[in-house]
Amino acid sequence: MKMAARNSSMIEFIFAGLTDQPGLQIPLFSLFLSVYTITVVGNLGLIILIGLNSHLHTPMYFFLFNLSLIDFCYSTVITPKMLMSFVLRKNTISYAGCMTQLFFFLFFVVSESFLLSAMAYDRYAAICNPLVYSVSMSPQVCLLLLLGVYGMGCAGAMAHTACMVKLTFCKDTFVNHYMCDILPLLEQSCTSTYVNELVVYIVVGIDIGVPTITIFISYACILSSILHIRSAEGRSKAFSTCSSHIIAVSLFFGSGAFMYLKPSSLLPMNQGKVSSLFYTTVVPMINPLIYSLRNKDVKIGLKKILSKKVFS
């Protein structure tokens, strides 16, 4: 029988990490350190590039700037602590630290899901209504959309965290994960988690469902408009402006839905750890690569900055 801790300050969570095999610790540490380095350099590089190039100060790159910022932040919330699990004998985190990590992780992940839907709406406005694009995506509209994005992120994170802090955990709880995530924490509760599980299905359903529906409707309208474009060059250009975003959306929502909207009986926590690696470490690394390697404006902006440095 589990012994509940009366005082939350007494609780210390012990992370199992990705593996308990000593021979894999150093190789995995090197691998994920490389992934995190690429993530930081890629996202900060894109942030600086967009900030320094005036011709990139458009709604599309305004949202891309914030996407890189979010990817950098939530990767930083998770990966450094995960790297410690490969080099420490006992990888622990306090109750307050765990709840803080959980809140900010959820805040940035939920914000990204709604930001991707805002980016889809921006592409819809640019392709389907180009004549009124400057009005429909004015700086005021972009700012309101961004406030809505971060507002939904804060609401989602608060809903999950508030339910989590009401639970009673056992002292020195062993968490079969590399971070403080919802599902592995619920497994270690000494009290009923029915309300928490209900909140997971409702809130996660909203945080994935609403952006997904928005994105599908936007791209249905975009596809209809593209098919009415007579020139092959025009259709190709329209497709190219959307392809990077479609790839990013597929990677992010696919991995998130697979982790949270599948019954735990069908997805054991060990497999869940591996699948969660995709949206916590791989997606933040891939996003800047997708938008830089497949984007002509970003390449031009980068060449301009490099040419200025070489010339100076």
Side-chain angles (χ1 to χ4, degrees):
M1 183 177 178
K2 295 180 178 180
M3 185 67 69
R6 295 181 179 179
N7 190 349
S8 61
S9 63
M10 297 168 57
I11 302 173
E12 186 177 61
F13 294 101
I14 305 170
F15 290 135
L18 281 177
T19 180
D20 56 358
Q21 299 183 27
L24 294 177
Q25 301 293 338
I26 299 304
L28 286 175
F29 175 82
S30 302
L31 173 63
F32 287 106
L33 179 61
S34 300
V35 169
Y36 182 60
T37 302
I38 295 171
T39 301
V40 171
V41 172
N43 284 292
L44 289 183
L46 204 53
I47 289 171
I48 294 170
L49 183 65
I50 294 172
L52 293 179
N53 284 269
S54 58
H55 75 282
L56 296 180
H57 294 174
T58 63
M60 175 182 174
Y61 294 102
F62 171 75
F63 292 124
L64 183 54
F65 178 96
N66 282 275
L67 179 65
S68 293
L69 180 63
I70 289 173
D71 280 339
F72 166 74
C73 289
Y74 91 72
S75 179
T76 300
V77 168
I78 300 301
T79 309
K81 186 63 179 174
M82 182 182 70
L83 291 173
M84 293 175 62
S85 67
F86 298 122
V87 296
L88 296 178
R89 290 186 178 181
K90 187 179 180 182
N91 185 26
T92 62
I93 187 171
S94 66
Y95 177 85
C98 186
M99 294 301 111
T100 301
Q101 185 189 57
L102 176 69
F103 176 85
F104 282 106
F105 165 65
L106 293 172
F107 170 73
F108 290 119
V109 169
V110 175
S111 296
E112 177 154 339
S113 69
F114 281 94
L115 183 62
L116 289 171
S117 66
M119 294 173 74
Y121 174 75
D122 171 66
R123 292 300 84 208
Y124 158 78
I127 295 173
C128 299
N129 299 296
L131 297 179
V132 294
Y133 177 70
S134 59
V135 176
S136 58
M137 293 303 295
S138 65
Q140 293 80 8
V141 172
C142 291
L143 183 59
L144 287 174
L145 285 174
L146 190 66
L147 289 175
V149 164
Y150 288 125
M152 291 302 296
C154 186
M158 287 183 66
H160 289 298
T161 309
C163 290
M164 193 66 69
V165 298
K166 291 181 180 180
L167 297 178
T168 301
F169 293 98
C170 304
K171 188 177 180 181
D172 295 337
T173 300
F174 185 81
V175 179
N176 186 20
H177 214 283
Y178 57 87
M179 66 175 185
C180 289
D181 201 356
I182 300 170
L183 301 182
L185 288 177
L186 292 182
E187 287 187 348
Q188 304 305 318
S189 174
C190 294
T191 52
S192 173
T193 60
Y194 174 77
V195 174
N196 298 73
E197 292 171 5
L198 189 63
V199 170
V200 167
Y201 280 105
I202 294 174
V203 177
V204 173
I206 293 172
D207 293 339
I208 292 180
V210 173
T212 301
I213 293 171
T214 303
I215 290 167
F216 269 116
I217 293 174
S218 298
Y219 276 105
C221 297
I222 289 171
L223 181 61
S224 177
S225 296
I226 290 176
L227 293 176
H228 285 85
I229 298 175
R230 295 182 179 180
S231 68
E233 184 181 352
R235 288 195 297 269
S236 177
K237 184 178 180 181
F239 273 120
S240 65
T241 60
C242 300
S243 58
S244 298
H245 183 255
I246 293 173
I247 294 172
V249 166
S250 301
L251 292 173
F252 182 79
F253 284 104
S255 57
F258 184 77
M259 177 66 185
Y260 288 102
L261 297 182
K262 203 169 183 179
S264 58
S265 59
L266 297 178
L267 184 65
M269 190 50 63
N270 285 331
Q271 296 180 28
K273 281 195 294 184
V274 176
S275 63
S276 66
L277 277 174
F278 200 77
Y279 66 86
T280 57
T281 59
V282 178
V283 170
M285 177 188 70
I286 291 178
N287 276 346
L289 298 177
I290 292 173
Y291 282 101
S292 58
L293 295 177
R294 297 177 59 88
N295 193 298
K296 184 184 293 185
D297 292 334
V298 172
K299 291 178 182 178
I300 292 173
L302 182 59
K303 287 179 180 178
K304 284 184 178 179
I305 290 180
L306 293 177
S307 62
K308 286 181 180 179
K309 288 186 176 181
V310 171
F311 181 77
S312 61

